[in-house]
Amino acid sequence: MPTEILMPALSPTMEEGTLAKWLVKEGDDVSAGDLLAEIETDKATMEFEAVDEGTVGRILVPEGTEGVKVNSPIAVLLVEGESEADIGSATAAAESAPPEPASEAAPPAPASADPAPVASASPANPATSSKGDRVFASPLARRIAADRGIDLSQVKGSGPKGRIVRADVESAQALPAAPSAAPVPGTPGAEAIKAMFEDREFEEVALDGMRKIIAARLGEAKQTIPHFYLRRDILLDDLLALRSQANKQLEARGVKLSVNDFIIKACALALQTVPEANAVWAGDRIIKLKPSDVAVAVAVEGGLFTPVLRDAHVKSLSTLSTEMKELAALARDRKLAPHQYQGGSFAISNLGMFGIKNFDAVINPPHGSILAVGAGEKMPVVNDDGDLAVATVMSLTLSVDHRVIDGALGAEFLSAVKTNLENPIGMLA
């Protein structure tokens, strides 16, 4: 029987994606490991490899299709001895097959797993109604329903044991679209807001996958995470002098250290000095990490990524600098692999290069904290001798999840960051 190639889950949190580009066409022979398509998730565009050999018999989802659900069929693979005629036979067999018992449904993959792309002959899990009840329908019936906007929970099945088949869907009328979620009390809905500007020229911008995820995650973060904020000023002159000297020596190797590289290293070492702060919130427990895996926000068109520098506490400044540049380039091209942007207990968001003096960053769950970095500015300070002097001062704001880190612990961690930045020679050891 022909094998259905299913939409892969390219990250633990992926529920749907865009089939950006097919790298094969119908009739092409493929082997395990050959590239089949480019799949765009909310985080990156990734290549999808074949796991079996055969011939691409039919492409079910055209390239450019958005919102393709994980585990839904996207193509059909024919093995030796099968022909395109077998695709119709397989479809007919699927129509008459009895529904899967609920007890045989595969359990979800653990959150920490990275599901591998799979090609399987088994039908995807049946759809569910708005009440959460299982709706038994053939794969073809589900595809037709999705194309026509038909709610399968409202369709009566005529197949074995009430299974919905093609004829049931084709005879059903498309239902009106379900109403969107009710707006927050006191907040006007989309149409009401548009009406406010009906006499003004404007452009509507549809939300892409990345912007939807950013809106959902950060909206949830501000509503559910009890943020509090700690602030310190950092004297940067010693660090700037050391950076200038180091860059002269590293110039021949093509390495140029940034202030941000020193900040990454300072935070990584501080997480080791104050290990209780190297933690994440896990719903019913706190998970404390041993290595310092530091996420760094990178702005890209339409949003941002937070690639993770793993084991940052044991890496040299030049290594961190090189790795950060590579990850930032991958992020801007949306080519980050899941293991390059998932994880970490802590993040850094630096807007100093944009001239921002200070700001409060939103925690990226499940991280326990995030450091907001402002611009270094020349300003008058009172030195240790009590005299007025001019120094380069940078403002840091630590946003902290109070469920994970208490005030005194957060202050101890931020103090360790300050110590590292104001005594940068110690970071070279």
Side-chain angles (χ1 to χ4, degrees):
M1 180 179 293
T3 300
E4 287 184 338
I5 300 175
L6 306 182
M7 183 67 168
L10 299 177
S11 75
T13 58
M14 179 178 169
E15 297 180 356
E16 62 181 35
T18 298
L19 207 159
K21 182 180 180 181
W22 279 107
L23 303 177
V24 295
K25 59 184 184 297
E26 292 180 358
D28 284 355
D29 293 329
V30 297
S31 300
D34 288 350
L35 299 179
L36 296 180
E38 292 182 356
I39 307 294
E40 181 180 328
T41 70
D42 61 293
K43 292 290 186 182
T45 300
M46 304 177 66
E47 294 171 333
F48 170 40
E49 297 180 355
V51 296
D52 294 313
E53 64 178 25
T55 301
V56 180
R58 183 173 299 171
I59 290 177
L60 304 175
V61 177
E63 63 182 36
T65 303
E66 300 179 355
V68 183
K69 298 294 184 183
V70 167
N71 288 333
S72 61
I74 58 175
V76 177
L77 188 69
L78 302 174
V79 298
E80 186 176 357
E82 295 176 338
S83 66
E84 188 172 352
D86 294 314
I87 299 176
S89 300
T91 301
E95 292 287 357
S96 60
E100 296 176 350
S103 61
E104 294 182 6
S112 60
D114 237 342
V118 176
S120 170
S122 301
N125 289 337
T128 57
S129 71
S130 59
K131 297 179 180 179
D133 301 324
R134 292 172 66 83
V135 176
F136 295 106
S138 70
L140 182 59
R142 288 198 299 274
R143 290 199 291 274
I144 295 174
D147 291 340
R148 300 187 181 183
I150 295 173
D151 183 357
L152 285 176
S153 67
Q154 304 299 314
V155 178
K156 183 175 178 61
S158 61
K161 299 184 180 181
R163 187 180 182 88
I164 299 171
V165 296
R166 176 178 180 175
D168 301 323
V169 179
E170 289 182 336
S171 62
Q173 297 295 321
L175 300 174
S180 58
V184 176
T187 303
E191 295 304 319
I193 293 175
K194 282 175 60 177
M196 297 178 189
F197 302 96
E198 60 184 3
D199 62 337
R200 310 302 299 160
E201 183 179 358
F202 65 86
E203 174 189 3
E204 288 188 55
V205 180
L207 300 180
D208 60 14
M210 176 184 291
R211 184 50 59 183
K212 289 178 181 177
I213 293 295
I214 290 173
R217 285 178 62 84
L218 296 187
E220 179 186 3
K222 286 297 287 185
Q223 293 174 33
T224 63
I225 296 178
H227 288 63
F228 71 92
Y229 306 94
L230 302 170
R231 311 180 199 280
R232 294 295 298 263
D233 286 338
I234 309 298
L235 301 180
L236 274 187
D237 293 287
D238 288 346
L239 188 151
L240 294 176
L242 179 63
R243 171 178 174 259
S244 178
Q245 181 181 354
N247 280 338
K248 289 178 181 178
Q249 297 178 359
L250 293 170
E251 185 175 2
R253 292 166 46 187
V255 176
K256 185 176 183 180
L257 302 179
S258 68
V259 172
N260 208 49
D261 297 328
F262 282 88
I263 294 171
I264 295 168
K265 183 70 172 182
C267 292
L269 293 174
L271 289 171
Q272 296 297 306
T273 304
V274 189
E276 297 294 314
N278 192 13
V280 300
W281 179 252
D284 63 349
R285 70 201 66 187
I286 293 172
I287 296 177
K288 296 180 181 179
L289 281 74
K290 291 186 177 180
S292 293
D293 297 339
V294 178
V296 181
V298 175
V300 301
E301 184 177 356
L304 58 85
F305 288 107
T306 52
V308 178
L309 293 153
R310 296 175 182 270
D311 301 305
H313 59 296
V314 297
K315 293 176 178 175
S316 67
L317 282 162
S318 59
T319 298
L320 288 173
S321 180
T322 300
E323 188 175 331
M324 188 65 239
K325 288 180 176 64
E326 292 172 351
L327 289 172
L330 289 172
R332 295 187 184 101
D333 292 337
R334 300 199 179 193
K335 295 293 185 181
L336 286 172
H339 72 274
Q340 293 173 312
Y341 62 78
Q342 292 173 352
S345 64
F346 167 83
I348 297 170
S349 180
N350 190 342
L351 294 180
M353 64 282 291
F354 299 104
I356 301 301
K357 185 174 181 180
N358 58 63
F359 65 104
D360 298 341
V362 180
I363 295 170
N364 184 27
H367 292 170
S369 59
I370 183 171
L371 186 70
V373 181
E377 297 182 334
K378 292 283 188 181
M379 59 180 59
V381 298
V382 177
N383 61 26
D384 293 337
D385 297 328
D387 299 325
L388 190 63
V390 175
T392 305
V393 180
M394 177 176 70
S395 174
L396 301 182
T397 301
L398 184 68
S399 302
V400 185
D401 183 344
H402 214 322
R403 299 171 301 180
V404 183
I405 300 171
D406 292 326
L409 181 61
E412 184 182 358
F413 171 69
L414 189 54
S415 178
V417 174
K418 175 181 172 69
T419 297
N420 291 334
L421 290 174
E422 293 186 346
N423 299 277
I425 195 70
M427 292 191 284
L428 300 180

